[in-house]
Amino acid sequence: MPIIVVLAVGLDSTLLRTQNSAWTSAGFIVKAAGSVREAIECFRDGDFDLVLLGPSIPPEARHEFTFLIRALGSHVPVALIARSADDCDPFADATLRKQPWDVMLAGLGELVAKRQEGWR
């Protein structure tokens, strides 16, 4: 699996640390942002392959942040980590629900690969 640089955004610092530890253990390079404002700054200054929006981000903030990413001309995939089965975001490229860890990782790898193939 190629190295994937992730911007993980969440308002719940404990959950963000736990998830970041899991993503890092899976081989991702993770930059954590504890607020949408911090995420915007990180995104503008960084080069990310994927943006993960945690379940603690309110829907309005998700929409605004995703809109900003697209307004900047970026095609970086945005994935929502769903709080429940009903939680979804029409602006996100993918919604991650509770599923086996290896299935979720494979899905993220495919999402990034598809996006990168589209650039060629």
Side-chain angles (χ1 to χ4, degrees):
M1 183 163 112
I3 295 173
I4 297 174
V5 182
V6 176
L7 174 59
V9 187
L11 303 180
D12 180 336
S13 61
T14 303
L15 180 59
L16 186 60
R17 274 192 308 273
T18 301
Q19 288 177 341
N20 287 351
S21 177
W23 296 114
T24 300
S25 294
F28 292 83
I29 295 174
V30 181
K31 170 66 178 166
S35 71
V36 173
R37 171 173 269 158
E38 182 183 357
I40 290 168
E41 292 171 13
C42 289
F43 190 82
R44 285 186 174 154
D45 294 339
D47 184 16
F48 297 97
D49 299 303
L50 177 68
V51 174
L52 289 174
L53 299 176
S56 60
I57 304 292
E60 311 80 47
R62 288 186 229 152
H63 296 168
E64 290 173 16
F65 183 56
T66 305
F67 178 80
L68 175 67
I69 289 172
R70 299 300 174 238
L72 291 170
S74 176
H75 297 286
V76 171
V78 176
L80 168 66
I81 299 172
R83 185 180 300 268
S84 67
D86 297 334
D87 195 11
C88 67
D89 191 327
F91 295 98
D93 297 297
T95 300
L96 308 176
R97 292 181 170 70
K98 279 197 154 199
Q99 53 189 319
W101 182 246
D102 59 333
V103 173
M104 189 164 44
L105 287 176
L108 287 178
E110 289 173 18
L111 180 64
V112 171
K114 272 189 213 175
R115 193 58 69 137
Q116 289 174 343
E117 285 174 12
W119 293 336
R120 294 183 194 149

